[in-house]
Amino acid sequence: MGSIPLPGEMLQTSFEDFQRQATLMTSCTLLWKELSDHFSSLEQDLQKKSEALREKFQTLDDRTKETLDGLEKREVSIEGSVEQALVKVEERKEAALIALQKGGKEEFDDSDEGVLLKLRSFCTKMDSAGFWKFVTAKKKEIGMLRVKIPLALSGCIDPPRFVMEAISEVFPIDKRFEKTERTNDLGWACVLILESLISVMADPVLGSSRPLVTPKVKERAKEIAATWKESLDQRGGIENVKTPDVHTFIQHLVTFGIVSKEDADLYRKIVIANAWRKQMPKLAISLGLGEKMADMIEELISKGQQVDAVHFTYEVGLVDKFPPVPLLKAYLRDSKKAATSILEDRNNPGKATYLAGRKEQSALRAVIKCIEEYKLEAEFPPEPLRKRLEQLEKAKAEKKKPAVIPANKRTRASNGGPMPPAKAGRLANAYVSSFPAAAAAPTFVRSPSHGPYPAGAGVPPYAYDRPAPPAIYGSRSPPAVSVRGDHYAYPPPEVEAAPPLAGSYPGAPVNYSPYGGCGYANGLAPGYQQAYYR
């Protein structure tokens, strides 16, 4: 006969079974909630993607309609634009004939109006060589040329051909035999002339959105661009080409409307390598890089070019995705770290201090200018930055101040020794040539290896193993010195002489110039390079 379970055991078994069932129900409930949340999330994602696709379709439809309307308008306006262009050509032809009949008898002054008349004379006669020579000689008046050149080019019979001939001396290949450091960079003139041509070639009906470029001119422009690209290998690749030359190439493409989709990677490399140039954001859009701009901005940020990235974000409207204030603050932090690392150079502490100060000053100026340009004062007050910049500039100015040495009084020697000429005591640069005229040096500086004379002592003779190096007196005569045999006797001063400069030498010091032979006695260059944000 089997054993009958006790009531206590049955109760325990039932309770354990109930607990298992409750745990199972809890697990099922949690699993159901997890699955429900997962499917809800999928549904929301699908809904968002569907809305994004719907917006893209709507945008595409709008762009298609806009493009079709533009094409229709362009087709309708072609005849009228051609007629107006032909009328202008006839007017320019008549003006050119009249100018050629007059010859070179016109005289022009140096006023703005005279410059315009001179430029128009070159353009009317299609004298591209004279035009180029005249423009390159007026680099200091580039602002005025930017206004006058488009007005002058409008008088050309064939402005595109005139411009290509004018810049052909240096683009696509520099044909000059003699080059100097001062005249080597003429990219600014090429860019200026190409920019001025855009408004001249603009369609009279549609404007600059449709430049009036004939197929023959466009083909010639493509040949020039191909020649420039072929020369890259000879010059060491795009990384070794100077920025003005690269800028000229990009402006050439944009001006003549010959941008090629096959060269998109080349355009991107050029823009990234020269992103600090003010015109680069606009040129990047003209080169068809608008869709790649977000990736380019991220690349600039990764390279520590946050200020350049800010300019690009405002140009393409990506300020929400790339907020400017955090970028500018990150740029200042990176610049501070770079300056600190420069100061760790213990081999040349003077140069390290100079380079670190210049680095931080340049960063501060760039950020302050960016804040002012985009009206970010409320989010990023520039006053602390200005105060820090003033501190650095003040420290720089203090370092450049020369030490002032008090002049000794001229006294006669008690032992009847000769008194130095009066003019010797007035030579401010007798011992250190970098002293300003206001800070007079002492007439005689005692050698740092000798101590002061004891009171009442006579004049001890100074015997030198070699003749003393002559001091620097400019064009004046050195002070009279009596010679006693092989020794040089100096009159003992009755008034205690001023202590010599720290690190001074008995003879004339030599000014060492660590910066390109500029002759700065304090080892500092005269100024700091500005950040290029024009």
Side-chain angles (χ1 to χ4, degrees):
M1 184 174 178
S3 60
I4 300 174
L6 298 175
E9 294 178 354
M10 295 177 60
L11 181 63
Q12 180 67 26
T13 302
S14 299
F15 182 73
E16 291 176 356
D17 185 59
F18 174 76
Q19 282 186 328
R20 285 193 297 271
Q21 295 294 333
T23 302
L24 181 61
M25 288 296 295
T26 303
S27 299
C28 290
T29 302
L30 293 175
L31 181 60
W32 171 257
K33 187 176 185 306
E34 184 178 352
L35 290 173
S36 178
D37 292 341
H38 177 66
F39 282 110
S40 297
S41 177
L42 290 177
E43 185 178 0
Q44 291 176 0
D45 291 342
L46 289 173
Q47 186 176 359
K48 289 180 180 179
K49 290 181 179 180
S50 177
E51 292 177 357
L53 287 174
R54 192 180 300 110
E55 291 178 358
K56 288 183 177 180
F57 278 122
Q58 183 64 38
T59 303
L60 183 60
D61 291 340
D62 294 340
R63 288 182 178 178
T64 303
K65 184 177 182 303
E66 182 180 354
T67 302
L68 292 174
D69 292 342
L71 289 173
E72 184 179 357
K73 186 177 180 181
R74 290 165 69 91
E75 185 177 359
V76 172
S77 63
I78 286 177
E79 186 175 352
S81 299
V82 171
E83 290 179 359
Q84 294 186 37
L86 291 175
V87 171
K88 287 184 178 180
V89 168
E90 288 297 326
E91 293 176 353
R92 294 166 183 171
K93 181 180 178 180
E94 293 177 1
L97 291 174
I98 294 173
L100 291 174
Q101 291 174 359
K102 291 181 178 179
K105 298 179 180 179
E106 301 96 342
E107 294 183 2
F108 309 101
D109 54 26
D110 294 333
S111 63
D112 291 357
E113 188 64 25
V115 170
L116 176 59
L117 293 175
K118 185 67 172 177
L119 291 171
R120 277 181 172 169
S121 176
F122 288 126
C123 294
T124 303
K125 298 175 184 177
M126 293 291 288
D127 183 4
S128 58
F131 175 84
W132 172 255
K133 185 176 180 180
F134 182 78
V135 170
T136 54
K138 291 192 172 293
K139 184 176 182 180
K140 294 182 179 180
E141 303 176 45
I142 189 171
M144 181 265 294
L145 292 177
R146 197 179 300 277
V147 177
K148 304 299 182 183
I149 290 179
L151 301 176
L153 288 176
S154 61
C156 284
I157 298 177
D158 191 351
R161 182 169 69 87
F162 179 82
V163 167
M164 285 190 288
E165 290 177 354
I167 67 176
S168 62
E169 184 179 3
V170 295
F171 182 82
I173 298 176
D174 197 337
K175 303 181 181 67
R176 294 174 295 168
F177 293 102
E178 296 182 2
K179 303 176 186 178
T180 62
E181 185 177 353
R182 184 177 63 86
T183 61
N184 191 31
D185 177 18
L186 294 178
W188 66 270
C190 296
V191 173
L192 176 63
I193 296 173
L194 288 169
E195 286 178 343
S196 302
L197 183 61
I198 294 177
S199 60
V200 178
M201 293 194 307
D203 187 282
V205 177
L206 298 180
S208 58
S209 61
R210 182 173 68 183
L212 293 179
V213 183
T214 63
K216 187 176 181 180
V217 170
K218 185 168 289 190
E219 190 63 29
R220 175 58 182 154
K222 289 181 180 179
E223 293 175 0
I224 292 175
T227 303
W228 187 88
K229 287 189 291 184
E230 291 172 359
S231 68
L232 285 179
D233 294 336
Q234 301 175 359
R235 292 185 280 182
I238 193 65
E239 295 81 6
N240 296 319
V241 180
K242 293 184 178 180
T243 298
D245 195 9
V246 173
H247 192 174
T248 302
F249 170 69
I250 296 178
Q251 191 62 56
H252 173 82
L253 300 177
V254 174
T255 299
F256 292 101
I258 55 173
V259 176
S260 174
K261 292 182 179 180
E262 289 77 11
D263 293 331
D265 292 337
L266 174 63
Y267 302 156
R268 173 171 175 163
K269 290 180 182 178
I270 290 175
V271 171
I272 291 294
N274 303 274
W276 56 271
R277 201 84 167 182
K278 180 183 178 182
Q279 299 91 335
M280 278 301 156
K282 290 184 181 296
L283 290 175
I285 300 298
S286 301
L287 292 172
L289 300 176
E291 296 180 357
K292 301 180 180 181
M293 196 62 72
D295 295 336
M296 294 170 63
I297 292 173
E298 290 180 353
E299 185 174 350
L300 290 174
I301 294 173
S302 66
K303 291 184 175 182
Q305 297 176 243
Q306 292 91 339
V307 173
D308 299 330
V310 170
H311 292 297
F312 276 75
T313 57
Y314 275 95
E315 183 63 33
V316 296
L318 293 176
V319 179
D320 295 336
K321 186 175 181 180
F322 301 98
V325 173
L327 291 178
L328 296 177
K329 291 182 178 180
Y331 178 71
L332 287 176
R333 288 195 298 269
D334 293 346
S335 301
K336 186 67 176 178
K337 290 179 182 178
T340 304
S341 64
I342 293 173
L343 288 174
E344 294 176 357
D345 182 10
R346 302 185 181 276
N347 296 327
N348 195 344
K351 183 177 180 180
T353 303
Y354 162 72
L355 293 176
R358 186 177 69 174
K359 177 72 175 177
E360 188 174 357
Q361 283 183 311
S362 178
L364 289 170
R365 291 192 183 98
V367 171
I368 291 172
K369 186 174 181 180
C370 201
I371 292 173
E372 294 174 348
E373 183 175 355
Y374 299 114
K375 312 298 181 184
L376 300 173
E377 290 84 356
E379 303 176 57
F380 195 178
E383 285 75 17
L385 305 182
R386 291 195 181 99
K387 290 181 180 179
R388 175 59 180 163
L389 182 60
E390 290 176 1
Q391 291 175 357
L392 292 173
E393 291 177 346
K394 185 177 180 181
K396 170 193 166 186
E398 290 294 332
K399 282 189 175 183
K400 294 179 71 174
K401 286 184 179 180
V404 179
I405 304 176
N408 287 335
K409 295 181 180 180
R410 295 189 304 115
T411 56
R412 292 187 179 274
S414 59
N415 60 350
M419 186 181 71
K423 62 181 180 180
R426 296 195 299 269
L427 287 179
N429 61 345
Y431 294 79
V432 182
S433 61
S434 61
F435 280 177
T443 306
F444 297 98
V445 178
R446 192 174 297 139
S447 171
S449 61
H450 298 279
Y453 298 124
V459 182
Y462 286 84
Y464 293 89
D465 296 332
R466 61 182 182 274
I472 299 175
Y473 290 94
S475 61
R476 305 184 182 186
S477 303
V481 180
S482 63
V483 180
R484 300 176 183 176
D486 295 332
H487 308 296
Y488 294 89
Y490 289 81
E494 295 180 359
V495 180
E496 181 64 29
L501 284 172
S504 61
Y505 296 91
V510 181
N511 291 333
Y512 292 93
S513 176
Y515 295 101
C518 298
Y520 296 102
N522 55 6
L524 295 178
Y528 294 88
Q529 183 178 359
Q530 298 279 351
Y532 192 74
Y533 293 103
R534 298 172 294 150

